[in-house]
Amino acid sequence: MKMKIAYFSLEYPPRVFGGLGVYVDSISREMKALGNELSIFTLGDGILKQREKSRGISVFRETPVPMREGWEPFLSDRTHAWGEGINFLFDLMSYNQLAAASLRDNAPFDLIVAHDWLGLPGAEAAKRIDETPLIYHVHSLEVGRETSPNPQIVDLEVKGAGLADGVITVSFAMKEQLASLGIPRDKIYVSYHGVEPDVFSPSAARPKKIRELRERYGVEEKDPVILFVGRLEPVKGVIPLLEAMPQVLAEHHGAKLIIVGKGSLEGRVRSMAEPLGGAVKVVSDFLDLDSKIQHYALADLCVFPSFYEPFGIVGVEAAAMERPAVVGASGVSGLREIVDNPSSKRPTGVHVNPSDPGDIAWGINLVLSDPERGREWGKNGRAKCLETFNWPRAARETLEIYERVISSRS
């Protein structure tokens, strides 16, 4: 069944800020390759082309129209939860309204997909145009993203899941969380993200660039390298990781931890790194794709001790690069489904309690204590990626879900 599909996504190349943009870019290309017609309704900036055809995909970029002055008299006290983010809320509503109107002008579509809550208002409005089936694709939830969740976003996510004809999410851990919010289990489908194994591949390592990185970070050939890639926010577990480092260094004196990321904790991360001397390097520069790949290639081990990780694309990237990983595995953790523990048939890393620096240190020391075993786990991880975490499989599986949702309405 070939379909005409509309995606509502705040992120789409070249405006990509995280895993959401990577997903929408990759899955839309695969859907197009399967013979479907894709239209992306995304956020514009007034500079990029408002309408264009990119690799056979129709892109509609909507630039928000400032509306704060007109709406402020109607606001309720609940909007105080937004604080300084209130301007973002106004821009978001403007984008959704413009995107829904643009979809109306290009209807009909066989299916509308809202990627996260950011595109839900427009997608819900578009659904009402001609009762087009709507799928809400949940990449994460406000109750897990934030230590103090915004109740309005929580309400919107739950309401959106209820109004949608089907809900797709990124891991079985997320399916359980959605079910706990009252969403019927038979309405929730799971489809893993993918990675491009030809891009994230050990063969992409460049010896010259890796030597340059060793010189930049003061890493000797014999020094074990531990890599963290992620936002420097509490939910990513970078603080317990730093607290674990003294125990790691007690067993592996030359170990180096490279932290790559930006976020609200950057200042604290740098201050915690100082007493550890040259054992910790903090990189707040934006890494282009090749530089990111070379950092993975430099590492002996990747550590992602997240408290909340619906999927964890970095876990798949590391596995594709044949790097074992130590991951947070409590609570909502897609990383627990990506990384297989030492007790499994084909281990790829270690599960730890991200709240316990001692447990994180134990996991790191376990991997570093046997480099040959670590390399074997890395090879197992890549094999799992080739079998499970690839975009063609993700697209075929997702397309089957789309078809099931549409047929269930017939």
Side-chain angles (χ1 to χ4, degrees), residues 52 68 84 253 289 314-315 361 386 389 409:
E52 71 172 335
R68 178 168 181 167
E84 294 181 359
H253 305 291
L289 178 60
V314 287
L386 294 173
F389 302 114
R409 294 191 55 196

Side-chain angles (χ1 to χ4, degrees), residues 47-247:
I47 299 174
L48 294 167
K49 288 184 178 179
Q50 186 177 10
R51 304 285 184 269
E52 71 172 335
K53 202 87 166 179
S54 174
R55 293 172 296 193
I57 296 170
S58 299
V59 184
F60 301 84
R61 296 188 178 92
E62 306 300 340
T63 302
V65 178
M67 299 179 66
R68 178 168 181 167
E69 289 77 8
W71 279 112
E72 276 186 325
F74 301 97
L75 298 181
S76 70
D77 291 339
R78 293 187 72 196
T79 55
H80 292 318
W82 290 88
E84 294 181 359
I86 191 68
N87 287 327
F88 170 75
L89 174 62
F90 283 120
D91 284 349
L92 185 69
M93 291 299 104
S94 177
Y95 147 71
N96 273 273
Q97 181 65 53
L98 290 168
S102 183
L103 180 142
R104 178 192 58 200
D105 295 339
N106 291 273
F109 287 87
D110 298 304
L111 181 70
I112 299 168
V113 182
H115 289 281
D116 266 355
W117 70 274
L118 298 158
L120 260 179
E124 290 173 347
K127 172 183 169 65
R128 297 189 187 96
I129 294 171
D130 55 8
E131 288 300 311
T132 305
L134 169 64
I135 286 179
Y136 175 25
H137 200 131
V138 181
H139 298 265
S140 66
L141 286 170
E142 177 73 2
V143 291
R145 284 189 301 263
E146 303 294 338
T147 52
S148 299
N150 183 319
Q152 291 179 315
I153 298 176
V154 174
D155 287 351
L156 176 61
E157 289 176 329
V158 173
K159 182 179 180 181
L163 290 175
D165 298 287
V167 177
I168 299 177
T169 194
V170 295
S171 64
F172 288 95
M174 277 295 293
K175 178 172 182 174
E176 291 304 311
Q177 187 179 37
L178 282 162
S180 73
L181 296 175
I183 310 305
R185 288 179 183 276
D186 60 0
K187 190 179 186 178
I188 308 169
Y189 303 87
V190 174
S191 181
Y192 290 132
H193 289 191
V195 71
E196 295 185 51
D198 294 336
V199 176
F200 288 91
S201 168
S203 64
R206 301 184 185 182
K208 181 181 177 182
K209 289 203 171 186
I210 293 174
R211 285 195 300 271
E212 291 172 354
L213 288 176
R214 287 188 181 279
E215 291 175 6
R216 175 182 174 184
Y217 298 131
V219 176
E220 302 291 336
E221 286 284 347
K222 66 180 185 304
D223 295 341
V225 177
I226 305 160
L227 178 66
F228 170 94
V229 179
R231 291 181 294 113
L232 302 186
E233 300 293 343
V235 73
K236 296 297 183 179
V238 66
I239 299 303
L241 171 58
L242 283 163
E243 292 172 340
M245 280 307 293
Q247 296 179 58

Side-chain angles (χ1 to χ4, degrees), residues 300-317:
D300 297 289
L301 165 67
C302 295
V303 184
F304 310 119
S306 300
F307 292 94
Y308 177 81
E309 196 69 72
F311 181 68
I313 192 66
V314 287
V316 177
E317 291 173 350

Side-chain angles (χ1 to χ4, degrees), residues 249-325:
L249 294 170
E251 289 194 28
H252 303 277
H253 305 291
K256 300 291 191 295
L257 169 63
I258 300 174
I259 295 174
V260 179
K262 294 182 179 183
S264 63
L265 293 177
E266 184 176 340
R268 185 178 174 191
V269 166
R270 290 188 180 278
S271 66
M272 290 181 69
E274 284 182 11
L276 297 171
V280 179
K281 306 291 182 180
V282 182
V283 185
S284 57
D285 299 334
F286 174 78
L287 297 184
D288 61 25
L289 178 60
D290 183 65
S291 183
K292 187 178 186 182
I293 289 169
Q294 304 313 315
H295 276 76
Y296 279 126
L298 172 66
D300 297 289
L301 165 67
C302 295
V303 184
F304 310 119
S306 300
F307 292 94
Y308 177 81
E309 196 69 72
F311 181 68
I313 192 66
V314 287
V316 177
E317 291 173 350
M321 291 295 298
E322 293 189 357
R323 295 303 179 257

